[in-house]
Amino acid sequence: MGKVHVFDHPLIQHKLSMMRNKDTGSKDFRELLEEIAMLMVYEVTRDLPTEEVEVETPICKAKTRMLSGKAIGLVPILRAGLGMVDAVMTLVPNAKVGHIGLYRDPETLQPVPYYCKLPADANERELLVLDPMLATGGSAAAGIQLLKDHGCHHIRLINLIAAPQGVERVQQQHPDVDIYIAAMDEKLNDHAYIVPGLGDAGDRLFGTK
Ligand code: PRP
Ligand code: URA
């Protein structure tokens, strides 16, 4: 069973509360999402392997450590996951980015795929799937399945807010995937929006409502 890591760092919780506020506009919402994504990825990458290297400082030669192991790939789920990419790239500038387009049909609540473009070597990378919201879990589970269909196996899911149902679904369908979240909310409402949540992440990011 994949682990669920909840980041309750005070800075993350403070910024997330500001994002939840319905009066927070798109500009601030975007900036806060970037700041939280950066703080989260710092922790998500804590267990990446490193290897000893030799560098020559202005003072002397020294044995220090640098990242080793698999290269990183980022996979934002469109649209809202896009809001996390730049921030993560700031910390992991050599990451390659794949895009998965999925929207949730408002009637059936089923994820509808419309786009998938992955780095050619995605299956050799440690992939971080990015999406602020994990509601029913349909989009995340389908996105992860798409990655597995392309031969990818090292996958971590990073969300800001999750509902218990979404976590359960991803854990059931993808027990090999760890989930990293900033908050586990209470439930879903009748339209499968997270309660209390923050509303529609894509619309708030891009000002489409
Ligand atoms: C939102 C969100 C997730 C999905 C979560 O995207 O960004 O991808 O819903 O819901 P689920 O867990 O029930 O699948 P949405 O479908 O609204 O698309 P958008 O980002 O293009 O607005
Ligand atoms: N998608 C969102 O953007 N918000 C929710 O609460 C649920 C799905």
Side-chain angles (χ1 to χ4, degrees):
M1 179 73 73
K3 283 203 199 107
V4 182
H5 309 257
V6 185
F7 296 141
D8 57 359
H9 191 289
L11 284 177
I12 294 180
Q13 295 307 314
H14 181 88
K15 291 173 191 294
L16 185 56
S17 294
M18 293 170 75
M19 289 185 75
R20 290 182 189 273
N21 187 329
K22 67 177 173 45
D23 294 326
T24 297
S26 284
K27 175 176 180 289
D28 288 340
F29 189 90
R30 269 197 307 276
E31 289 173 2
L32 288 161
L33 176 57
E34 288 183 356
E35 290 164 14
I36 295 176
M38 204 181 291
L39 290 167
M40 287 184 76
V41 87
Y42 175 75
E43 277 303 323
V44 171
T45 52
R46 180 173 285 283
D47 63 351
L48 291 184
T50 59
E51 65 188 359
E52 191 175 82
V53 295
E54 187 175 280
V55 293
E56 190 164 355
T57 77
I59 309 299
C60 65
K61 283 187 177 160
K63 295 214 188 303
T64 58
R65 303 201 71 79
M66 290 184 80
L67 287 173
S68 63
K70 292 186 186 307
I72 304 280
L74 309 182
V75 185
I77 297 191
L78 309 182
R79 290 174 299 166
L82 284 178
M84 302 166 77
V85 172
D86 285 355
V88 178
M89 290 284 268
T90 303
L91 293 188
V92 195
N94 292 329
K96 289 190 178 169
V97 184
H99 294 83
I100 291 183
L102 283 170
Y103 72 89
R104 197 174 70 162
D105 183 294
E107 302 296 326
T108 65
L109 299 180
Q110 292 308 306
V112 182
Y114 60 89
Y115 188 75
C116 180
K117 180 78 182 175
L118 302 175
D121 61 353
N123 60 341
E124 292 165 20
R125 289 177 177 262
E126 182 79 39
L127 297 180
L128 308 182
V129 176
L130 308 175
D131 191 336
M133 308 306 278
L134 181 63
T136 65
S139 304
I144 293 167
Q145 190 56 52
L146 258 170
L147 294 175
K148 289 184 175 176
D149 293 344
H150 282 79
C152 306
H153 289 292
H154 299 274
I155 301 169
R156 304 176 191 211
L157 175 63
I158 308 179
N159 308 113
L160 254 55
I161 302 181
Q165 293 94 319
V167 168
E168 204 173 303
R169 183 158 175 181
V170 172
Q171 282 185 320
Q172 272 175 5
Q173 293 187 26
H174 302 292
D176 54 313
V177 173
D178 276 10
I179 304 172
Y180 300 81
I181 58 178
M184 176 83 89
D185 274 11
E186 194 186 325
K187 59 180 182 185
L188 299 177
N189 69 13
D190 293 343
H191 304 285
Y193 275 85
I194 299 176
V195 180
L198 50 69
D200 189 305
D203 282 342
R204 293 194 65 187
L205 258 182
F206 298 111
T208 42
K209 213 170 230 173

